[in-house]
Amino acid sequence: MSPIRVRIAPSPTGFFHIGNAKTALINWLYARKTGGTFILRLEDTDTERSEAQYADIICEGLRWLGIDWDEGPAFGGEAERGAHGPYRQSERREIHCGEARRLVDEGNAYRCFCTKEELDAERERAQAAKRPPRYSGKCRNLTSEQVAAMGDRPYSVRFRVPQGATTIDDLVQGTVRVENKEIDDFIIVKPNGDPVFHLAVVVDDGLMEITHVIRGDDHLTNAFRHVLLFNALGYKLPTFAHLPMVLDETGKKYSKRLHGANVLDWREDGYLPETIVNYLVLLGWTPEEEGRELFTRKELVEAFSLERLGKSAGKFDLKKLQWLNGQHIRMLTPEQLRDKVLPILHKA
Ligand code: GLU
């Protein structure tokens, strides 16, 4: 098996969005093309918004599209798979907290006792002075005696951002760089003991030995913090590829409220999963064979390469989707078509 390990890490806070489906598909194609491993990790740590039913919906959406995972959580009577589990982030809390303690012990993070009121006041002062809000660094250099003197006062854990600059050679966005002084010492564990997304995602990617982090470009600015954490934790740095968002027909971000934002809307409408797979990949990738649009799943696996992922966002085009669906329907055998159509007729 190839050493390539990729993942999708959806947060089950709603239905399975087509943008997430596109990200899943690109990761899956890369794994299948290279003989690597495709991992599903559910980032269900937002306890207020995550619900078990949404996790099932994501799994069901992936199943419908034929995006099968090699490692991932239990679903629909099947046991958890893989040697890097658990694959539900909510079950990894102790691992995250252990790594946060290690960062503190090694001097790469520190306990911050500043109260919410203090931090709010700091933020308001910055706003009034039209400065970007920054943490003052008050607790950055507390001595161990000072920390001990705090007794059991609640604290958050902050990452100690080192001096210098951080550069990412992103496969899609190119080289991006930031001066570390632009990055605040960010919180990695909240006062209630909950690990923050940045810590959890890096610990999980690091320990799951992810080689390529391929995800939406809404995470590009987060990636600087992630690189700093990867280095401080001593994990091997993955390659990053941040994909553009899916846009609606008017060129705006495909809103959750629009029909079709939910992948399973297309199943309801009678589209074939092969069509959706074919269509979604074309929203972010161009084949070497210029102008070619029609691909079966097998042909996509053969033709796929990361090098041909595009930087500009794909605009949704319903006409093209309908045309592709017609093409894929024509590829069905009469028996396959019958089996697809009968349930729809029965339901009607
Ligand atoms: N849970 C994150 C999201 O749904 C994914 C983060 C990642 O892929 O690194 O946006």
Side-chain angles (χ1 to χ4, degrees):
M1 183 160 262
S2 110
I4 303 289
R5 291 176 60 82
V6 290
R7 62 20 170 219
I8 51 150
S11 304
T13 52
F15 56 69
F16 193 36
H17 192 273
I18 48 163
N20 283 342
K22 190 191 91 175
T23 304
L25 179 63
I26 304 250
N27 277 282
W28 179 85
L29 283 172
Y30 188 50
R32 293 296 168 262
K33 167 88 188 192
T34 58
T37 304
F38 174 68
I39 297 153
L40 168 62
R41 182 174 77 229
L42 293 171
E43 299 208 324
D44 56 347
T45 39
D46 183 348
T47 39
E48 272 163 39
R49 295 195 303 148
S50 294
E51 279 182 38
Q53 117 211 30
Y54 294 138
D56 286 351
I57 287 173
I58 289 173
C59 295
E60 194 188 325
L62 288 168
R63 278 283 153 83
W64 179 63
L65 291 172
I67 302 179
D68 54 335
W69 55 94
D70 307 308
E71 296 182 17
F75 170 66
E78 278 175 34
E80 174 180 292
R81 258 179 282 166
H84 294 71
Y87 295 91
R88 286 179 191 266
Q89 205 165 57
S90 56
E91 294 169 18
R92 301 178 62 81
R93 196 170 185 274
E94 281 318 303
I95 306 177
H96 303 143
C97 293
E99 288 299 70
R101 279 193 296 276
R102 183 161 71 86
L103 287 171
V104 172
D105 291 345
E106 293 172 358
N108 291 313
Y110 58 90
R111 296 186 174 90
C112 170
F113 297 90
C114 293
T115 60
K116 187 175 175 303
E117 292 68 33
E118 277 178 274
L119 296 172
D120 286 347
E122 224 172 67
R123 194 171 313 118
E124 278 164 27
R125 277 197 300 276
Q127 261 164 6
K130 301 211 171 7
R131 279 183 282 116
R134 300 290 307 226
Y135 173 57
S136 67
K138 186 175 164 202
C139 298
R140 198 173 211 255
N141 298 310
L142 294 181
T143 61
S144 40
E145 291 75 34
Q146 285 169 315
V147 170
M150 294 292 180
D152 52 10
R153 286 237 319 249
Y155 61 84
S156 47
V157 179
R158 281 186 192 268
F159 182 69
R160 190 189 300 279
V161 174
Q163 288 182 335
T166 303
T167 305
I168 301 172
D169 289 318
D170 191 277
L171 286 184
V172 176
Q173 308 292 333
T175 301
V176 286
R177 180 189 148 96
V178 76
E179 295 294 329
N180 291 357
K181 62 175 182 323
E182 304 297 328
I183 308 175
D184 239 356
D185 281 359
F186 52 97
I187 292 176
I188 54 174
V189 181
K190 295 186 210 166
N192 67 2
D194 281 348
V196 167
F197 163 70
H198 301 302
L199 175 71
V201 75
V202 170
V203 168
D204 292 348
D205 284 340
L207 297 180
M208 291 182 180
E209 298 176 37
I210 299 302
T211 57
H212 293 69
V213 170
I214 306 171
R215 61 183 171 191
D217 64 6
D218 49 337
H219 287 293
L220 183 62
T221 50
N222 292 334
F224 292 113
R225 276 172 277 193
H226 298 174
V227 168
L228 291 171
L229 277 169
F230 267 101
N231 291 337
L233 286 159
Y235 301 147
K236 192 162 185 303
L237 197 64
T239 300
F240 288 94
H242 286 92
L243 309 171
M245 303 275 109
V246 174
L247 304 180
D248 65 19
E249 293 205 88
T250 68
K252 287 207 282 290
K253 192 174 160 200
Y254 207 114
S255 156
K256 282 185 184 160
R257 281 184 294 274
L258 278 183
H259 182 78
N262 179 352
V263 169
L264 293 176
D265 286 348
W266 301 106
R267 179 173 72 178
E268 271 312 285
D269 291 353
Y271 284 82
L272 298 179
E274 293 83 345
T275 305
I276 303 301
V277 163
N278 186 167
Y279 183 71
L280 286 180
V281 71
L282 293 180
L283 285 177
W285 171 85
T286 35
E288 211 155 316
E289 211 176 305
E290 215 176 302
R292 177 168 174 193
E293 298 190 300
L294 183 62
F295 287 88
T296 65
R297 188 187 304 270
K298 194 161 160 279
E299 288 165 344
L300 280 176
V301 170
E302 276 158 23
F304 186 76
S305 71
L306 288 182
E307 288 71 37
R308 299 193 68 85
L309 287 173
K311 197 169 161 174
S312 52
K315 202 158 120 185
F316 212 83
D317 177 351
L318 187 61
K319 285 234 158 55
K320 193 199 267 185
L321 181 68
Q322 285 167 340
W323 173 79
L324 271 179
N325 203 40
Q327 298 298 315
H328 281 282
I329 288 175
R330 287 177 186 81
M331 285 191 240
L332 299 175
T333 63
E335 292 72 26
Q336 284 170 328
L337 184 60
R338 175 199 62 202
D339 293 346
K340 301 255 185 211
V341 168
L342 269 183
I344 299 173
L345 292 180
H346 278 307
K347 206 168 146 195

